[in-house]
Amino acid sequence: MGELNGVDKKQLKEDQNTSTMAVKSGGALLHRMQQPIEHKDFVEEVRGIMDINNLLDRSAVLLDLQDQPNENPSTSSLESIVDTMLNSMMSAGNETVTREELKSLIFSNNEMDMLANTVQGTIEGDGGGHEVDQNWVCSTTEVPTLMNRVVGISRMSRHTNMGEGANEVKFFILILCPTNIKGTKTALETARTFSTLFSDMSLRHALLECTTDLEFKAQIRKTANEISTRQEKAEIDMSKEEVDNEPRFLQPFRGIRDDLARRLPYYWSDYKDGVVGPKSLQKTISTTFFLYFSIILPAIAFGNLQDDNTGGDINVEKILVGQVCGGLIFSVLAGQPLVVVMTTAPLVLFTKIILLVAQDFGFPFLPFFAMVGLWNSFFLIIYAVFNLSKLMKYSSRSTEETFGNFISIALTVDALKHLAGSFKSNYNNKACELEDIQSQHQHDSLNDTLVNPLISALSHNITKRAAAAPTDLPCQRDVSLLYLILMLGTVWLGVSLFDFVKTPYLSSRKRELLSDYALPVAVIVFSIIGSVVFNKVDLDPFKFEGKFNITLVAFEELTVGAVFFAALLGFSLSILFFMDQNISAAMVNSPENHLKKGNAYHWDLVVVALINAVLSIFGLPFMHAVLPHSPLHVQCLADKETRVTNGYARDVVTYVRETRLTNIFSNILIGITMLFLQYILPYIPKAVLDGLFLYMAVTALYGNQMFERVTLLVTEQAAYPPNHYIKRVPQRKMHTFTACQLVNLLVLCVFGFTPWPYIKMIFPVVLACFLPIRHKVLPLLVERKYLEAIDPTTKD
């Protein structure tokens, strides 16, 4: 291009200057965002009425406020309105914040003619659709240096223009809140309370007739109570409309028939849903491996424990055979296939009780054990036939979570016991004490002899006595340290991979894949570390001979007295089965999981009874639904999305693949593994199993509301998450209920971990007593409406 002549250069320079001035004088950019919020529910959200009762008396009310220009002509009339309101609101003088600081936050520009944050209502427009209700506007402001919430309400003398979308404002509400405040008291939550009231046209009409501020406040309080009454009446009417179609106790087999009618139409889809659909095959494979490792490793551990307790009458081989047979039968016939069945820690404890009773009365153990199992199955079928599972409608989330937390504590205690046993056997045994004394003696012998001959003589004497003590085990401190590393490493890697889906690393598909395989990867990695990398360290192996000797139990060895005595233990065991089976199923069927195919409490009880009757005849250990495997099974098959509410992120289940394939495939894998388990088992350290116990105990706390509420006891109020029960229940009532739950958990632990077997025998009865306690005792401490908000009973 050729050069520009002088005229063109001058013109270009003028254009550039004009453009620059236009940019400079064009003003700032304005970011606007409109977001719908829900009306305050004055029945469910207790903070609404509390705000009206507490804040309204202290609020500033200005009637017929004049819209006058400020003395400074460059400022807006809206600023004069705010100035007048602030003078009245801050007249108490107990706040240090300045007016200028407040206005800089209330307004979004220097001209102070635009409110920064507002809440308005919407009404139906003349031409259809919705439009903004310009009769009132609520300004919300969070002030870092403010100490208390302050509310001002003004009734304008005439309809006032307060900016775009607020051209005809008659009522103006100004709300100031501290930044560091409880989540239910924020500026937005307080604005929801007053905005819900002012969106009522009848209230606004009544306020126009008020002549004093006391009359004005009384009318607002009256309307709040009326809205609360209307909402409560609507809920009562809806509950009355629900048809009670539950089976009654005197309608035998009704519950079983209803369960089969509900679940049979979905039977073939239970297989199809595991392979058809986005990511279904991937989820089925990963969940199969999760169940495989989370079932077989505890089964081996419980088998070793049973072997030690019963002198080999029940061992690892029997537990695995029972697991494969019972697991496959339940997977195919159960109404709710997402429930996982296996031998559990409470059943191991109950087997020990049966053993001690048999020894005390001279009964042969295995026949007596099998007869207890048959009586247990008999009682379970009676419960199912007469529809006793309908009692689970009285089971609440607190009962389920208390028992789930007890299982988590039991898993943790087992892991720590094994760790303590390793340190006692290899780190603090007599051989180690001898080495310590000899080392100290050799180090100090010369100095002690020169300085104090008496100390030297005493030290020699102690060394001599220690040498004379028996040393059954060598001092192997490296074994205990490696045990600790493998256990903590397994739980750390497992939990880290489980939470990897929340990180920004890799792609979302790869993150989800690592999260799905968290447990198998952790077990395999630390098994390799313990058995290959540290193969010189002598770790204690599992007991497993690979000899499967399954025969019919010799019931003829029992006397008539032993048979009827077994009925007593069978009844107590049946209560444990009834509660554990139904609580596990209730946690699987939780509304938060959004399952579509329904429950089958009565039919599943029949299936479990038949399985245990067959197992008992062959002297195999009992099995029922297990925690935390069952709810974790649902989580593994679920699709989730992260939702952010008031800055808090939470995972929400959006879809669950309700399939039988994962339970079937995992038990088939266990059956295949039994053929060559004796060659694999030496490469899996016991410490890795304890890490798996801790992993299941930790991950079972995810989404556990009881655990969340316990943490709130030591959490700053401003950091409370916006959970529904925090909005609906007063803080003191919430903490009272949490304390009652902790007492229940403590009682369970006392009866579950007591060393006296006959006390443990009534553990199931204690668990069952939590149902009447929840419905008869707790309402004396916490009102029923708050109980239903924080701890709704099971609806399924």
Side-chain angles (χ1 to χ4, degrees):
M1 294 180 63
E3 292 185 3
L4 294 172
N5 58 34
V7 177
D8 292 336
K9 289 181 179 179
K10 182 178 180 182
Q11 183 65 39
L12 178 61
K13 186 174 181 181
E14 289 178 356
D15 291 343
Q16 289 176 339
N17 291 337
T18 302
S19 177
T20 303
M21 290 176 63
V23 171
K24 289 183 178 179
S25 63
L29 299 176
L30 182 64
H31 173 222
R32 283 184 174 179
M33 181 179 65
Q34 292 184 341
Q35 181 179 358
I37 59 175
E38 295 180 353
H39 282 80
K40 181 79 77 172
D41 188 332
F42 286 94
V43 176
E44 296 291 343
E45 299 181 68
V46 65
R47 177 54 59 184
I49 293 296
M50 291 178 67
D51 281 347
I52 296 300
N53 293 334
N54 298 332
L55 283 179
L56 194 59
D57 289 336
R58 295 185 282 110
S59 63
V61 174
L62 288 82
L63 301 181
D64 301 325
L65 182 62
Q66 297 286 334
D67 177 22
Q68 298 177 348
N70 279 356
E71 297 178 359
N72 185 354
S74 63
T75 59
S76 68
S77 61
L78 182 56
E79 183 185 359
S80 69
I81 296 172
V82 172
D83 280 331
T84 304
M85 295 186 68
L86 288 178
N87 289 334
S88 179
M89 293 164 61
M90 311 300 288
S91 60
N94 54 353
E95 297 286 352
T96 59
V97 60
T98 64
R99 301 292 189 276
E100 295 303 319
E101 181 183 354
L102 290 174
K103 289 195 291 185
S104 68
L105 296 171
I106 294 172
F107 295 103
S108 61
N109 58 354
N110 294 330
E111 289 76 17
M112 298 189 182
D113 57 1
M114 297 178 64
L115 297 172
N117 297 290
T118 60
V119 176
Q120 288 180 273
T122 58
I123 56 176
E124 188 174 349
D126 296 334
H130 289 81
E131 60 184 33
V132 175
D133 185 355
Q134 302 193 38
N135 189 260
W136 63 275
V137 64
C138 178
S139 171
T140 67
T141 305
E142 292 189 347
V143 185
T145 54
L146 199 67
M147 298 176 61
N148 299 294
R149 290 186 294 170
V150 186
V151 176
I153 307 173
S154 65
R155 186 182 68 191
M156 307 304 296
S157 61
R158 63 176 183 272
H159 289 89
T160 305
N161 185 354
M162 293 189 178
E164 184 179 354
N167 299 327
E168 300 289 331
V169 175
K170 186 64 178 179
F171 296 96
F172 178 43
I173 306 104
L174 180 59
I175 295 175
L176 307 176
C177 287
T179 303
N180 190 23
I181 197 171
K182 189 177 177 181
T184 55
K185 297 181 180 180
T186 61
L188 181 59
E189 288 298 322
T190 308
R192 282 182 61 215
T193 299
F194 285 92
S195 297
T196 300
L197 294 175
F198 275 86
S199 62
D200 189 326
M201 187 180 299
S202 60
L203 170 64
R204 299 200 303 269
H205 178 73
L207 293 179
L208 291 174
E209 307 298 326
C210 296
T211 57
T212 64
D213 59 343
L214 292 178
E215 187 180 349
F216 193 92
K217 293 178 180 178
Q219 187 62 50
I220 293 177
R221 186 176 290 107
K222 177 184 176 183
T223 302
N225 291 329
E226 289 176 352
I227 292 176
S228 175
T229 303
R230 286 202 304 266
Q231 291 174 342
E232 189 169 10
K233 185 176 183 298
E235 290 191 358
I236 294 173
D237 292 341
M238 289 178 61
S239 64
K240 287 181 179 179
E241 291 176 2
E242 295 179 358
V243 179
D244 185 12
N245 196 29
E246 295 178 351
R248 299 177 182 177
F249 297 132
L250 297 181
Q251 293 179 308
F253 300 99
R254 168 74 184 279
I256 298 174
R257 290 199 309 268
D258 289 349
D259 288 346
L260 292 175
R262 186 185 304 116
R263 289 294 309 193
L264 278 177
Y266 297 105
Y267 188 79
W268 294 114
S269 70
D270 289 342
Y271 296 92
K272 182 184 69 175
D273 290 350
V275 292
V276 176
K279 298 189 295 184
S280 291
L281 189 59
Q282 169 194 325
K283 286 284 187 179
T284 297
I285 295 173
S286 62
T287 305
T288 296
F289 281 105
F290 164 78
L291 289 181
Y292 170 74
F293 282 101
S294 62
I295 292 175
I296 191 171
L297 292 181
I300 293 170
F302 292 146
N304 275 264
L305 187 57
Q306 295 274 49
D307 195 355
D308 294 337
N309 292 340
T310 64
D313 286 337
I314 298 177
N315 52 25
V316 177
E317 290 85 347
K318 285 190 173 183
I319 282 189
L320 291 179
V321 170
Q323 174 61 47
V324 173
C325 297
L328 285 175
I329 294 173
F330 188 84
S331 302
V332 174
L333 299 181
Q336 179 49 275
L338 297 181
V339 171
V340 180
V341 293
M342 66 174 292
T343 294
T344 63
L347 290 180
V348 174
L349 295 176
F350 211 93
T351 303
K352 183 74 175 293
I353 295 171
I354 296 173
L355 174 68
L356 294 175
V357 171
Q359 290 175 345
D360 289 345
F361 289 88
F363 303 146
F365 166 68
L366 205 55
F368 185 68
F369 171 84
M371 184 55 66
V372 171
L374 291 178
W375 277 112
N376 168 60
S377 296
F378 170 76
F379 287 119
L380 290 179
I381 292 177
I382 294 296
Y383 300 157
V385 168
F386 289 97
N387 313 313
L388 261 66
S389 286
K390 74 172 271 189
L391 292 175
M392 291 311 295
K393 72 177 183 179
Y394 298 109
S395 174
S396 63
R397 187 183 185 116
S398 65
T399 307
E400 298 158 9
E401 291 187 339
T402 300
F403 185 67
N405 289 334
F406 168 77
I407 297 299
S408 294
I409 292 174
L411 293 174
T412 304
V413 168
D414 281 342
L416 295 181
K417 277 183 178 179
H418 297 159
L419 178 65
S422 176
F423 270 82
K424 184 177 180 180
S425 300
N426 301 296
Y427 197 93
N428 294 322
N429 58 22
K430 296 189 183 297
C432 293
E433 292 177 5
L434 176 60
E435 286 188 8
D436 290 341
I437 293 174
Q438 288 176 340
S439 176
Q440 185 68 25
H441 175 65
Q442 292 174 359
H443 182 267
D444 297 336
S445 59
L446 181 60
N447 292 336
D448 288 345
T449 303
L450 294 175
V451 176
N452 195 335
L454 178 60
I455 295 177
S456 177
L458 288 173
S459 177
H460 177 73
N461 213 9
I462 292 172
T463 304
K464 185 176 180 180
R465 287 200 305 270
T471 55
D472 298 332
L473 297 172
C475 182
Q476 298 175 305
R477 286 176 167 158
D478 52 342
V479 171
S480 299
L481 292 176
L482 181 59
Y483 197 105
L484 177 63
I485 292 171
L486 294 179
M487 184 183 77
L488 296 181
T490 302
V491 65
W492 167 78
L493 182 60
V495 173
S496 298
L497 291 178
F498 185 79
D499 289 335
F500 197 76
V501 71
K502 302 176 183 178
T503 68
Y505 307 116
L506 303 179
S507 64
S508 60
R509 184 176 180 83
K510 293 177 181 177
R511 291 197 300 267
E512 187 174 358
L513 196 65
L514 283 173
S515 180
D516 289 341
Y517 287 92
L519 181 61
V521 169
V523 169
I524 292 172
V525 167
F526 278 90
S527 294
I528 293 173
I529 291 175
S531 302
V532 178
V533 179
F534 293 95
N535 60 345
K536 300 295 184 182
V537 180
D538 187 18
L539 294 173
D540 188 21
F542 285 106
K543 295 179 184 178
F544 185 78
E545 299 177 358
K547 298 177 181 178
F548 301 96
N549 184 20
I550 311 298
T551 57
L552 291 173
V553 172
F555 288 104
E556 63 274 7
E557 297 179 9
L558 291 175
T559 62
V560 175
V563 170
F564 284 100
F565 196 98
L568 179 63
L569 287 175
F571 175 71
S572 177
L573 181 60
S574 69
I575 297 177
L576 175 63
F577 267 72
F578 179 81
M579 294 298 297
D580 210 345
Q581 177 72 33
N582 283 313
I583 285 176
S584 300
M587 295 184 74
V588 166
N589 294 315
S590 171
E592 297 174 355
N593 293 329
H594 304 294
L595 301 185
K596 306 297 184 184
K597 301 179 181 180
N599 60 66
Y601 293 109
H602 308 87
W603 173 246
D604 284 353
L605 212 56
V606 173
V607 175
V608 168
L610 295 177
I611 289 173
N612 281 275
V614 174
L615 296 179
S616 299
I617 292 173
F618 290 95
L620 300 175
F622 312 133
M623 63 193 312
H624 58 54
V626 59
L627 294 174
H629 299 65
S630 298
L632 288 178
H633 183 203
V634 177
Q635 298 296 316
C636 290
L637 288 170
D639 288 336
K640 302 178 185 179
E641 66 180 27
T642 301
R643 295 180 183 173
V644 179
T645 306
N646 295 344
Y648 291 88
R650 60 190 179 96
D651 291 334
V652 177
V653 173
T654 57
Y655 174 70
V656 176
R657 295 157 186 85
E658 301 179 54
T659 179
R660 299 176 185 271
L661 295 181
T662 49
N663 250 327
I664 292 175
F665 290 163
S666 60
N667 283 288
I668 290 175
L669 271 180
I670 293 173
I672 295 173
T673 306
M674 287 165 52
L675 301 177
F676 46 87
L677 188 60
Q678 56 184 331
Y679 307 109
I680 298 177
L681 207 53
Y683 296 99
I684 302 178
K686 286 185 177 180
V688 172
L689 169 69
D690 290 325
L692 179 143
F693 281 168
L694 291 178
Y695 168 86
M696 290 192 294
V698 171
T699 52
L701 298 177
Y702 285 50
N704 187 299
Q705 287 186 10
M706 178 182 174
F707 180 73
E708 291 175 356
R709 283 185 275 103
V710 169
T711 60
L712 292 182
L713 295 173
V714 292
T715 301
E716 184 183 7
Q717 288 190 8
Y720 278 16
N723 293 335
H724 69 280
Y725 52 82
I726 293 178
K727 293 181 179 180
R728 298 177 180 180
V729 182
Q731 181 177 324
R732 184 176 300 174
K733 299 293 184 182
M734 180 178 67
H735 291 330
T736 300
F737 179 79
T738 304
C740 294
Q741 254 189 301
L742 288 174
V743 171
N744 287 347
L745 181 59
L746 179 62
V747 170
L748 269 188
C749 291
V750 168
F751 281 90
F753 298 129
T754 181
W756 300 293
Y758 290 99
I759 299 296
K760 287 182 180 179
M761 192 170 65
I762 65 173
F763 170 83
V765 180
V766 174
L767 181 59
C769 287
F770 286 169
L771 299 184
I773 288 174
R774 161 64 177 82
H775 292 275
K776 298 299 181 181
V777 178
L778 285 183
L780 302 177
L781 302 175
V782 182
E783 289 86 339
R784 289 188 182 274
K785 63 178 181 179
Y786 298 145
L787 281 176
E788 281 302 313
I790 197 172
D791 184 39
T793 52
T794 302
K795 302 301 181 187
D796 287 319

